[in-house]
Amino acid sequence: MPDVSALSVTHVPGPLLQAPVDLVAFVTYGDPTKDSIFKSADQALGGVLADVAKSESFEGKIGQSITVHTHGRIPARRVVVVGGGVRGEFTNPAVRDLAATVTQAAAKASATTLAFLIPQLGANREAQLLQHVAEGVHLGSYKFGRYLTGDEHKKPPTLRSFGIVTDPAPKAGKKPSATQQKAFTVAVTRGETIAAAINHARDLINEPAAVITPSALAADALAIAKKHKGSVTATILDAKKCAELGMGMFLAVGQGSAQESKFIHLTYKPAKKPKKRIAFIGKGVTFDSGGYSLKPSQSMEDMKVDMSGAAAVISAMDAIATLGADVEVHAVAACCENLVSGQAYKLGDVLTSMDGTTVEINNTDAEGRLTLGDAITYVRTKIQPDEMFDFATLTGACMVALGPYTAGVMSDHEALLKTWMNASERTGEDMWRLPLNGRLREQLKSPIADMRNTGDRFGGAITAGLFLKTFAKDTPWVHVDIAGPASVSSARPSQPKGGTGFAVATIVEYATRR
Ligand code: BES
Ligand code: MN
Ligand code: ZN
């Protein structure tokens, strides 16, 4: 588990260049020689900064940074300058990356304390900015290093405090007001809480399927309920209980595995009467071999990530309970493994779902929609929420449509979809709508059952969405296909390779700030 508490984000009074820390950092936008902070730092260092910027072709672009020794000219031993691109134009993910870049530069320099002058975007954007900086600090120090045995991986991180300077030129003797201090703490705590939940989801995704089994996910959910005793409760349904409820689709997917399927249900209840009831459903296939419609080895290699939706909804509950919400929140995940064995479900099988719909299986690799269909019926009938959302690494087709970084969002409830997309814009998680075109339903016709589980080649993300819609019925519902962004094969500063924890931020944003 990443020890987020070992590194704290604090307030440091300006001016930046006088801060009594190991390292000072700031952002420049475009040509550094035209930047006033750059100029004053360069002057204090006797012109070294401009020399290094020139020799390292530092042009203040996004992704660039330089580190310079100060040789005792200011209290800090090093100055880090990061490129901010075009002034005032950066997105939330870019802010996270800036903070992550500074954190990583500090780690490289073995600094224990630093002061970072945050971009000056005006008072109305400061809380958001502070939150995203705090997120970037912790997201940027995330590493999944449990299985690396070399000494270099065992060193505890040196950085203890990431100081933020909010005012570059404070009047002498003027301290921030109590309200300003409070606002700072609230924003930073929010960012740290969300980052901890994202990093927790990353751990669950990055752990091998041999470790994160359906039972392990259930244990994780129970631990979150225990941590928030009083506001969060956990119910775990075993396979027998799921059979009693008639979850024929969910249980069929897991029946080829020696790992017992587990149905997880977490509930958060606010102290006051809740304004509404929301349910977040996550796909929890802890390993997807494809079943008898077996995946080729290369496509199977990364299929431990197929529980990323479950990881997101479970981890988000931790942050939601910490931050508090005025709505009742449910997190649900039908967890199982999709394997081949003498017990496994087969092509041609006809399954009966929890709502009675019969489904002919024409592809055992379209298993996610089967597990989710029953989870949706459970949520719709047992929880009866005002709104429900599902998050699933559901289709390769969604990645073909939108690329590897964007989630596909489908819904026929315009108002709910809009509120959700607005929340995603605030967090900077990349999501894009796909049409739930009802005409494609013809692909799901079966001659012997109410439906079959797989359509043909075209519109694969949409036919999966239409399959789920059968079970959502009239309950306001949004489907989010996260097959692409759940994990990445190329890193950015705030997002190393592997599980990303995608959707956690928007789930928390949606539930806690409506
Ligand atoms: N878990 C996969 C989808 C997936 C692919 C997630 C790549 C992450 C990265 C899902 O269960 C699956 O196998 N989908 C099939 C559906 C098809 C059989 C209709 C797919 O996309 O090929
Ligand atoms: Mn599959
Ligand atoms: Zn799958």
Side-chain angles (χ1 to χ4, degrees), residues 283 285 287-288 295 303 306 338 365-368 393-394:
K283 174 175 172 182
V285 174
F287 188 74
D288 181 13
K295 286 184 186 294
M303 276 305 130
D306 216 14
N338 186 21
D365 197 11
E367 85 297 339
T393 45
L394 205 59

Side-chain angles (χ1 to χ4, degrees), residues 129-153:
L129 187 64
L130 287 168
Q131 179 194 324
H132 293 126
V133 167
E135 286 174 13
V137 169
H138 293 297
L139 295 175
S141 24
Y142 176 81
K143 197 169 169 234
F144 187 68
R146 261 192 79 182
Y147 300 102
L148 296 167
T149 61
D151 287 341
E152 71 274 24
H153 302 296

Side-chain angles (χ1 to χ4, degrees), residues 189-190 193-194 197 221 223-233 266-271 280 313-331 504 507-509 511-512:
T189 306
R190 188 175 170 85
T193 305
I194 291 166
I224 288 171
K226 195 170 170 203
K227 177 175 168 193
H228 299 284
K229 212 162 30 171
S231 66
V232 178
T233 53
L266 282 169
T267 305
Y268 165 82
K269 285 204 166 122
F280 297 110
V313 301
I314 293 169
S315 306
M317 280 302 253
D318 188 6
I320 290 166
T322 302
L323 298 170
D326 56 12
V327 290
E328 185 175 304
V329 186
H330 296 259
V504 169
I507 293 171
V508 176
E509 174 71 19
T512 63

Side-chain angles (χ1 to χ4, degrees), residues 436-450:
L436 267 183
N437 184 344
R439 190 169 176 189
L440 272 64
R441 212 166 237 301
E442 64 200 16
Q443 294 184 20
L444 296 176
K445 281 204 177 116
S446 159
I448 66 160
D450 298 337

Side-chain angles (χ1 to χ4, degrees), residues 237 240-248 353-355 378 382:
L237 310 181
K240 185 163 166 269
K241 190 80 187 85
C242 293
E244 281 166 26
L245 289 172
M247 296 184 179
S353 64
M354 187 178 173
D355 80 345
Y378 173 94
K382 303 286 174 195

